[in-house]
Amino acid sequence: GDHGLIAKGCRFYEGLVRVPLVFHAPELVRQGVVDDSLVELTDLAPTLLDLAGVDIPQHMQGRSLATRLAHEGECTHRDFVRCEYYDALDEPDGTLATMFRDRRHKLVVYHGKSVGELYDLEQDPHEHENLWDAPAHQPLKLDLMRRSFDASMEAMDRGPRRIGPM
């Protein structure tokens, strides 16, 4: 019922995207780890491979959490996370949406619609004040959009490694 919604599958509110991640691996993961790291689903496979002692293929986008789970200390796993949703709005064109979230801000873009969401999670942790159209926040919105676009390009599968000049 968060935000008055029952089926929130097409939204990126914290109650939907920031969910607990639990590992149980005695002698590999220290007991009682409580952490607020930003983690993506792509991090699960590399973490499991790492915990199993298997080399992580270079082409995997995720990052292993194994060291973070085993040892105490300050360590930032990711500076930001991204996620995507297809058919995000109840419209015939199957709207695409992306979320870019760093430690403080969350940007949601509904592509091709000129609408979105921008939240300052320190000032508004429950995401009730959408700053998308706020004039004072336009530079921040543009910076987050640029960072999101750059991250999308970095995550893209570029195919096999080039071996020649073309």
Side-chain angles (χ1 to χ4, degrees):
D2 209 18
H3 288 269
L5 301 170
I6 295 173
K8 301 184 285 196
C10 62
R11 299 291 181 245
F12 296 99
Y13 294 123
E14 290 292 278
L16 181 61
V17 298
R18 191 153 177 96
V19 297
L21 174 62
V22 178
F23 279 94
H24 177 72
E27 299 181 25
L28 296 175
V29 174
R30 62 188 158 94
Q31 186 174 351
V33 177
V34 177
D35 197 316
D36 68 346
S37 293
L38 297 174
V39 176
E40 294 181 347
L41 286 176
T42 58
D43 297 332
L44 293 182
T47 301
L48 294 173
L49 290 172
D50 203 2
L51 290 172
V54 176
D55 289 337
I56 302 167
Q58 187 175 357
H59 67 273
M60 284 191 146
Q61 293 177 13
R63 300 177 186 166
S64 175
L65 290 158
T67 301
R68 186 165 185 84
L69 294 171
H71 305 288
E72 290 188 48
E74 286 294 315
C75 174
T76 299
H77 180 67
R78 289 184 176 276
D79 293 326
F80 64 86
V81 291
R82 302 173 45 255
C83 63
E84 304 153 351
Y85 197 91
Y86 306 105
D87 296 325
L89 298 176
D90 188 18
E91 295 192 13
D93 63 354
T95 304
L96 305 174
T98 55
M99 179 200 78
F100 181 89
R101 185 207 193 279
D102 63 18
R103 291 251 164 237
R104 180 168 181 171
H105 298 102
K106 179 185 290 182
L107 174 81
V108 176
V109 177
Y110 298 99
H111 298 277
K113 300 297 176 190
S114 299
V115 296
E117 299 168 47
L118 173 61
Y119 300 103
D120 181 332
L121 298 171
E122 281 183 14
Q123 299 297 315
D124 179 23
H126 301 292
E127 301 166 285
H128 291 295
E129 186 179 353
N130 184 357
L131 303 171
W132 178 266
D133 291 320
H137 289 85
Q138 296 310 295
L140 172 64
K141 180 171 85 171
L142 291 176
D143 180 58
L144 292 170
M145 289 175 92
R146 178 195 55 78
R147 291 173 58 202
S148 179
F149 184 71
D150 288 350
S152 294
M153 295 287 71
E154 288 296 320
M156 180 180 67
D157 181 358
R158 294 171 233 175
R161 193 175 148 252
R162 289 187 196 181
I163 50 175
M166 298 292 177

